[in-house]
Amino acid sequence: FPTRRSSDLVTAGEASLVKQCAEQYDWLDQFENIIVCMDNDDAGRKAAQEALKVLPDGKARVMYCSMKDPSLMLQSGKQKQFLSNFWDAKTEQEAGVNSIVEAMDGIQDYLLAPKIPLPPQMAKIQNAMRGGIRSTGAIVNIIGKTSIGKTLFSDMLLYFWRYHSPLKPVIFSIERTKEELLIDMFSIHLKQNLTWFEDGMDAVDYLNRPEIAAMCDDFVTDEFGEPSMFVIDERKGDAEALKRQIERAVKQYNSKLVVIDVLTDVLRSLPLDKQDDWMLWEKQMKKEGIVFINVCHTRKDSVGNTKQFDQNGEETFKRVDEYDIHGTSSIPQSADYNIVLNRNKNASDDVEKNTTYIDLPKARGGVTSHNVLELYYDSVTRQQVDREVWLQEQQTNF
């Protein structure tokens, strides 16, 4: 039960309530119940509702006092009414029915919200999406077989979004530590694959060059000196633990662009109904303005499948689609965009082996397309480019 007024805890007034609650998220999360009690006026009610958005889920409620000032209410001998107001505290979602007329107020904000752009080499995908991914909330699945370049594809997006996204990214990588992730990001940023140095000391010496170190510093912090992105280093790989970390990143650090690499590995051990529950949670978070980028493995080919060859003796490969995702069918069904990657990694031709074919079988508000883009990967510079553009450049240079 509170022993001090809310204003005693909010050291700079109602305007700072949200910021201070976000900064003290870990401390607040240790309590089972959090009651927000502000002045019962327009400013106080608005501040309380905004505070609910950054407080731990399922724990916070708003107490509306019968009088404007909670302190004056107690000083006036209204303790019993104060207790009644306390036990009547409401969650943010308890009033869920609205008239269609009320939706009119938010239409302009929705339509004018900036979209999350894609890197220049993915311009054809962005055009099919009609300008990019909506920053008001979306679920995007990146789908493909093992070892065909899904992580690289998502890394290229993440790198571009560090500079061009209206939402700050946070990434969870089940296959990489935060150090391995940063090395991959630096490799893209510097156009130098740091893992290709045979001697690790050579890579360290390279990174310590003053001009290179300055470039690395520019990547990890933004123009305000704040971290440019966040990394969830959840070693358990447990779905519920990951969910809590994502909610913390959203509420405490305002990171609303969530990359999960690989989602299907997180959900793999769960029964299908629990996987469905996860996607329901993502859809609920989407309504709060969260954008999910889910990297997804596909099911393994059946044991009876045999290799196939074309008339030239070249081994062909079976292309996967959105419904080849490993796990529950609600993963592709819940998405706003399904991006499917295919690559013939056993091709004898180096260009073909390093070419990823991209389909867009689902694009809400956009145009679905088969083979919307072909991306070529240069392993030395760790860059992906539009293969059509790259081939034209090769012909010109020749």
Side-chain angles (χ1 to χ4, degrees):
F1 192 84
T3 57
R4 294 181 293 176
R5 291 190 305 154
S6 300
S7 57
D8 292 331
L9 299 173
V10 183
T11 58
E14 290 169 335
S16 74
L17 177 63
V18 172
K19 181 179 180 182
Q20 293 196 27
C21 285
E23 290 177 347
Q24 301 302 321
Y25 182 91
D26 291 339
W27 182 79
L28 290 165
D29 194 30
Q30 67 183 307
F31 298 99
E32 293 183 7
N33 294 288
I34 302 169
I35 306 299
V36 182
C37 180
M38 306 297 290
D39 285 349
N40 192 7
D41 56 15
D42 288 343
R45 287 190 291 271
K46 181 178 179 181
Q49 289 299 318
E50 290 299 314
L52 288 182
K53 296 178 181 179
V54 299
L55 290 169
D57 280 351
K59 296 185 176 184
R61 291 175 289 164
V62 175
M63 171 183 170
Y64 295 105
C65 290
S66 299
M67 294 177 63
K68 174 182 178 295
D69 191 310
S71 180
L72 290 177
M73 190 173 178
L74 291 172
Q75 294 177 48
S76 302
K78 305 286 186 182
Q79 288 88 349
K80 288 185 177 179
Q81 186 60 39
F82 185 90
L83 284 173
S84 177
N85 294 155
F86 175 84
W87 294 115
D88 198 36
K90 297 289 191 298
T91 65
E92 182 182 19
Q93 300 297 330
E94 284 184 329
V97 179
N98 299 283
S99 74
I100 193 67
V101 177
E102 292 176 276
M104 293 288 292
D105 296 334
I107 286 180
Q108 180 170 312
D109 290 341
Y110 178 82
L111 293 175
L112 294 181
K115 292 188 177 181
I116 302 173
L118 274 61
Q121 69 270 24
M122 301 181 193
K124 293 173 182 175
I125 305 176
Q126 179 172 308
N127 291 339
M129 290 178 168
R130 306 300 295 169
I133 302 166
R134 288 201 172 275
S135 63
T136 50
I139 298 175
V140 183
N141 292 324
I142 299 171
I143 306 160
K145 288 184 177 181
T146 301
S147 302
I148 57 88
K150 299 186 299 299
T151 294
L152 173 67
F153 184 86
S154 63
D155 279 356
M156 298 302 294
L157 292 172
L158 183 63
Y159 172 75
F160 183 76
W161 289 336
R162 177 263 175 265
Y163 292 101
H164 300 284
S165 170
L167 304 180
K168 181 163 287 193
V170 57
I171 179 172
F172 168 72
S173 178
I174 200 169
E175 298 173 340
R176 292 178 291 180
T177 64
K178 59 184 182 297
E179 292 80 13
E180 290 172 318
L181 173 68
L182 186 56
I183 287 173
D184 287 343
M185 289 289 105
F186 279 166
S187 296
I188 296 172
H189 187 54
L190 303 171
K191 297 185 178 180
Q192 171 66 58
N193 194 336
L194 296 174
T195 63
W196 273 41
F197 285 92
E198 293 186 9
D199 189 330
M201 198 63 223
D202 291 338
V204 172
D205 290 340
Y206 173 75
L207 289 174
N208 285 333
R209 293 181 192 175
E211 70 279 10
I212 300 300
M215 291 178 67
C216 292
D217 288 341
D218 170 74
F219 176 79
V220 297
T221 56
D222 61 21
E223 63 270 29
F224 305 108
E226 299 291 331
S228 60
M229 65 179 67
F230 291 91
V231 181
I232 296 175
D233 201 13
E234 175 58 60
R235 303 301 176 92
K236 295 180 182 178
D238 173 76
E240 288 304 314
L242 176 58
K243 190 183 293 185
R244 290 193 296 271
Q245 294 288 9
I246 290 173
E247 290 172 347
R248 177 188 173 198
V250 170
K251 293 175 181 290
Q252 186 172 6
Y253 302 113
N254 198 33
S255 291
K256 295 185 176 181
L257 177 54
V258 182
V259 180
I260 305 177
D261 182 19
V262 178
L263 175 64
T264 46
D265 283 0
V266 175
L267 304 182
R268 187 182 298 273
S269 62
L270 299 179
L272 292 180
D273 62 325
K274 295 298 182 182
Q275 296 183 30
D276 292 336
D277 288 345
W278 175 279
M279 296 311 301
L280 178 60
W281 173 77
E282 283 201 8
K283 289 192 285 187
Q284 291 169 338
M285 293 288 282
K286 169 190 163 182
K287 287 187 176 182
E288 299 298 322
I290 314 306
V291 175
F292 288 95
I293 311 296
N294 299 320
V295 179
C296 303
H297 286 317
T298 58
R299 296 185 296 271
K300 292 182 179 180
D301 290 333
S302 60
V303 178
N305 279 3
T306 57
K307 293 182 178 180
Q308 296 180 337
F309 300 87
D310 61 21
Q311 57 186 3
N312 298 318
E314 182 75 22
E315 183 179 343
T316 59
F317 68 106
K318 176 188 175 185
R319 292 178 71 135
V320 298
D321 63 31
E322 58 188 324
Y323 285 101
D324 285 316
I325 285 182
H326 186 280
T328 175
S329 60
S330 66
I331 299 177
Q333 291 169 356
S334 300
D336 297 273
Y337 308 96
N338 284 327
I339 302 173
V340 182
L341 313 183
N342 281 284
R343 180 170 68 89
N344 188 359
K345 60 184 181 182
N346 295 318
S348 57
D349 179 77
D350 283 341
V351 174
E352 179 65 16
K353 184 166 63 175
N354 288 297
T355 295
T356 301
Y357 298 90
I358 300 174
D359 300 326
L360 190 65
K362 187 174 186 180
R364 246 174 223 156
V367 181
T368 60
S369 180
H370 175 73
N371 224 40
V372 65
L373 175 65
E374 298 174 6
L375 281 176
Y376 174 72
Y377 171 61
D378 184 341
S379 58
V380 176
T381 61
R382 201 172 173 80
Q383 302 296 305
Q384 276 187 324
V385 295
D386 184 327
R387 188 172 87 156
E388 181 181 7
V389 175
W390 181 79
L391 289 173
Q392 289 174 352
E393 290 176 351
Q394 301 308 303
Q395 294 172 356
T396 302
N397 294 337
F398 180 78

